[in-house]
Amino acid sequence: LLLLLLLSLLSLRGRGQGFGQTRFICTSVPLDGDMCAATAPGGGSAEELKSTVLQLRETVLQQKETIMNQKETIRELTAKLGRCESQSVLEGLPGEPKGGRKGGFSKNTMGDLSRAPAAETLSQLGQTLQSLKTRLENLEQFSRMNSSSQTNNLKDILQNKIDDLEKQVLSRVNSLEEGKYNPKNESEERGKIESTLTSLHQRITDLEKGQKDNRPPDRFQLTFPLRTNYMYAKVKKSLPEMYAFSVCMWIKSNASPGMGTPFSYAVPGQANELVLIEWGNNPMEILINDKVAKLPFVINDGKWHHICVTWTTRDGVWEAYQDGTQTGNGENLAPYHPIKPQGVLVLGQEQDTLGGGFDATQAFVGELAHFNVWDRKLSPGEVYSLATCSTRALAGNVIAWAEANIDIYGGATKWTFEACRQLN
């Protein structure tokens, strides 16, 4: 048996290393003899035989390592193929109507685009959970200072919920790796987890309120740390019919490619009634009734910038301001089309359907504050006052920036706004 095993290993070595034509010589060994002491014909010694066995063992280990590497390579290629197939679905969607976006990016403005691949969604959920855990850890010191049993119980309940969510995400990752994942259940499962995330975030936010100082209602910012299709904020009131407007905000981002969609306003029958977006490698654009103007903003540097866009329906005249200075203007942008009322105003996502249809590739990544809307064209002096945090700066008469006017979902967070304090 030992002789047969040796012959088999020699044969495997010959095939694995490509020795070409190899001749094997059999030598009989007495039953009570020492095989290691036997010499092979042609002058082979016991030491050479031992060396051969060691080489064979090394070859087997190398082949095992090669097989493992190949399995890993196959797994990586499969994941890349999945992403490519998802991208091909996006690229294969029908082009948008005349006057829609340009620059090689086609988009179905009213259809619900394909979601991010399941593996990416799981990764994003994992990062969101980690963010929530960090916030809970920051609350521990406050909990120790405030020894009320209610606060401690809340923290324990939230921690347990996070642990349960982590188990769900891990279970879905294992299902993906084992090929047991059923895409038919993706929407339902994702909906459950996102709903739990929203509820969890709200509970943590309520707990954090005990730490906040008595800051003014407008001194806050929204943070969207990840490119997802579930983090967003919603303005509680709609826009009225407007024949002119000014939209101004503070914004900070270094996301690439493109910072995404700071805000979108959709009305029944038109998802792109009023949208500000920087998508892919395109410059930032303002869309009104699906008509587009490219804006000369240079703000994707990770620093706070103040931007304003003004527009009047008469001849579709528009102006763009960055950090208090006019940087561009134009006309014929949706002329004589009033902004329609009774819509949904969302911060951080681009709507493909009224109040939904979010696509992660167009999500805003960064920080946003002091989003204000007026139903008239601001003067250059008024814009400059806003950009320099002047005490004379006015709040929007249509939408004013205040915590009571904003609902947040999916793990987006509120923090104290510091940009104006740095300027003063």
Side-chain angles (χ1 to χ4, degrees):
L1 289 176
L2 186 58
L3 181 60
L4 290 175
L5 176 61
L6 180 58
L7 289 174
S8 298
L9 289 173
L10 286 170
S11 176
L12 176 62
R13 182 170 181 252
R15 290 196 300 269
Q17 297 186 352
F19 287 155
Q21 295 184 1
T22 305
R23 186 177 63 177
F24 301 101
I25 301 174
C26 301
T27 303
S28 61
V29 179
L31 290 175
D32 56 350
D34 184 1
M35 190 182 82
C36 292
T39 58
S45 66
E47 290 300 324
E48 291 175 346
L49 187 58
K50 288 181 181 179
S51 174
T52 300
V53 171
L54 291 175
Q55 290 177 7
L56 286 173
R57 288 176 179 172
E58 183 179 353
T59 299
V60 171
L61 291 176
Q62 289 175 351
Q63 288 176 340
K64 285 183 178 180
E65 183 178 354
T66 299
I67 291 172
M68 294 301 294
N69 291 337
Q70 288 173 343
K71 286 183 178 180
E72 185 63 27
T73 300
I74 290 171
R75 180 177 296 177
E76 290 178 4
L77 290 175
T78 302
K80 290 179 180 179
L81 179 61
R83 289 194 291 271
C84 289
E85 288 175 345
S86 174
Q87 184 64 28
S88 66
V89 170
L90 291 176
E91 294 174 352
L93 289 171
E96 60 184 351
K98 186 175 180 180
R101 295 191 188 98
K102 303 176 184 178
F105 291 91
S106 61
K107 183 175 185 299
N108 181 349
T109 57
M110 291 301 293
D112 190 5
L113 289 180
S114 299
R115 303 296 185 211
E120 289 186 23
T121 301
L122 291 173
S123 174
Q124 292 164 355
L125 286 173
Q127 292 180 58
T128 303
L129 290 173
Q130 184 58 46
S131 172
L132 293 175
K133 289 181 71 174
T134 301
R135 293 172 65 192
L136 269 180
E137 291 170 2
N138 293 336
L139 287 169
E140 287 182 354
Q141 182 177 0
F142 169 74
S143 297
R144 286 193 294 269
M145 294 172 61
N146 182 351
S147 60
S148 87
S149 59
Q150 182 180 7
T151 301
N152 291 327
N153 288 339
L154 268 176
K155 186 174 72 67
D156 293 339
I157 291 171
L158 294 173
Q159 184 64 60
N160 290 336
K161 283 193 174 185
I162 287 180
D163 292 341
D164 290 342
L165 279 171
E166 286 182 318
K167 290 176 182 177
Q168 290 183 44
V169 172
L170 181 60
S171 174
R172 295 178 70 191
V173 170
N174 291 336
S175 296
L176 279 171
E177 291 181 345
E178 295 172 5
K180 298 178 181 178
Y181 180 71
N182 183 1
K184 292 182 180 179
N185 297 329
E186 160 64 6
S187 247
E188 181 180 352
E189 292 184 7
R190 183 179 60 212
K192 290 179 181 178
I193 291 182
E194 290 174 7
S195 174
T196 307
L197 275 173
T198 299
S199 172
L200 182 61
H201 160 74
Q202 190 59 51
R203 297 287 298 278
I204 293 178
T205 298
D206 292 342
L207 191 56
E208 286 174 331
K209 285 180 180 177
Q211 292 181 289
K212 294 180 180 178
D213 54 8
N214 296 321
R215 67 188 185 196
D218 66 339
R219 216 187 89 191
F220 74 102
Q221 69 187 48
L222 298 181
T223 299
F224 304 90
L226 305 173
R227 198 180 293 279
T228 73
N229 59 2
Y230 55 83
M231 281 189 184
Y232 67 102
K234 184 177 178 181
V235 180
K236 292 183 180 180
K237 61 184 294 187
S238 177
L239 299 179
E241 185 173 57
M242 296 190 299
Y243 294 84
F245 69 73
S246 297
V247 179
C248 300
M249 72 198 77
W250 283 91
I251 199 166
K252 176 182 178 182
S253 178
N254 59 1
S256 178
M259 68 175 62
T261 308
F263 79 89
S264 65
Y265 176 67
V267 297
Q270 176 53 278
N272 292 331
E273 182 68 6
L274 178 57
V275 181
L276 183 68
I277 185 170
E278 185 180 73
W279 197 39
N281 294 315
N282 291 335
M284 184 166 281
E285 299 172 339
I286 185 80
L287 282 75
I288 300 176
N289 192 31
D290 239 346
K291 305 303 184 292
V292 182
K294 297 184 182 301
L295 304 177
F297 292 145
V298 183
I299 55 179
N300 196 358
D301 58 3
K303 300 178 181 178
W304 280 108
H305 293 281
H306 187 267
I307 60 173
C308 276
V309 179
T310 69
W311 172 87
T312 60
T313 186
R314 181 179 177 84
D315 295 325
V317 175
W318 61 270
E319 295 175 346
Y321 294 82
Q322 177 177 327
D323 298 325
T325 302
Q326 183 176 324
T327 56
N329 60 78
E331 58 183 18
N332 203 34
L333 174 59
Y336 305 102
H337 170 83
I339 301 299
K340 296 178 182 178
Q342 306 304 317
V344 177
L345 181 56
V346 167
L347 306 179
Q349 294 284 353
E350 201 276 338
Q351 303 172 68
D352 284 334
T353 58
L354 188 65
F358 304 144
D359 175 17
T361 64
Q362 296 172 319
F364 174 69
V365 180
E367 296 165 283
L368 185 151
H370 283 269
F371 176 85
N372 287 274
V373 181
W374 295 260
D375 59 2
R376 63 181 179 84
K377 177 182 175 181
L378 294 182
S379 69
E382 289 173 317
V383 173
Y384 184 78
S385 293
L386 290 165
T388 55
C389 302
S390 169
T391 55
R392 297 190 300 272
L394 301 175
N397 68 328
V398 174
I399 301 293
W401 186 248
E403 290 197 61
N405 296 338
I406 305 291
D407 286 330
I408 54 179
Y409 300 91
T413 55
K414 290 180 181 178
W415 302 97
T416 301
F417 179 64
E418 301 292 346
C420 281
R421 178 182 294 181
Q422 295 169 8
L423 289 175
N424 293 332

